[in-house]
């Protein structure tokens, strides 16, 4: 079983305090973050600039076409095993982190969990 986590930048200290490895999947990230990045999952600047021009489903379709369809989901899941995919939006808000999580969950034997800290 491959387990991957997701969270957002406001939880970074909690992620690190729990001995988990954060990986930036957002093009923008905190200036002080010097950790791992997975550039293949960064949305393009064009998508970021035009996020308000598309509804969630259209944005996800475009992201799938421009990013995820170019990748091997099994290899990506193995590379990200045990890590925490980080971007800006908090829980309950549409973001590409959720698109990535949904895409990875289609791989047999992969679980993706949004981390919730109390």
């Amino acid at each position: 079983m491959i387990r991957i986590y997701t969270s957002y930048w406001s939880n970074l200290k909690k992620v690190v305090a729990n001995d988990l490895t954060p990986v930036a999947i957002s093009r923008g990230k905190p200036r002080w973050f010097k950790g791992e990045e997975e550039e293949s999952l960064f949305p393009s600047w064009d998508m970021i600039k035009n996020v308000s021009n598309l509804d969630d489903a259209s944005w996800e379709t475009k992201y799938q076409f421009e990013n995820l369809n170019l990748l091997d989901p099994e290899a990506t899941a193995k590379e990200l095993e045990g890590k925490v995919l980080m971007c800006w939006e908090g829980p309950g808000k549409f973001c590409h982190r959720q698109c990535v999580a949904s895409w990875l969950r289609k791989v047999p034997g992969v679980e993706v969990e949004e981390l919730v800290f109390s």
Side-chain angles (χ1 to χ4, degrees), residues 10-31:
S10 293
N11 278 339
L12 183 59
K13 288 182 181 180
K14 294 174 184 174
V15 167
V16 173
N18 282 280
D19 293 322
L20 296 167
T21 303
V23 177
I25 65 167
S26 57
R27 189 164 292 281
K29 54 197 157 294
R31 283 185 225 165

Side-chain angles (χ1 to χ4, degrees), residues 39-55:
E39 291 184 27
S40 65
L41 298 177
F42 290 1
S44 68
W45 280 117
D46 179 60
M47 290 190 69
I48 293 167
K49 291 176 190 171
N50 292 309
V51 70
S52 61
N53 296 335
L54 298 171
D55 61 46

Side-chain angles (χ1 to χ4, degrees), residues 59-79:
W59 197 97
E60 183 171 8
T61 299
K62 184 172 174 61
Y63 179 70
Q64 179 83 29
F65 179 76
E66 291 184 3
N67 289 75
L68 301 180
N69 287 349
L70 304 176
L71 303 172
D72 176 342
E74 288 88 7
T76 303
K78 287 177 185 174
E79 182 181 330

Side-chain angles (χ1 to χ4, degrees), residues 2 72-75 77-78 102-111:
I2 293 175
D72 176 342
E74 288 88 7
K78 287 177 185 174
S102 177
W103 175 71
L104 289 169
R105 286 184 187 113
K106 293 177 184 171
V107 177
V110 173
E111 288 185 10

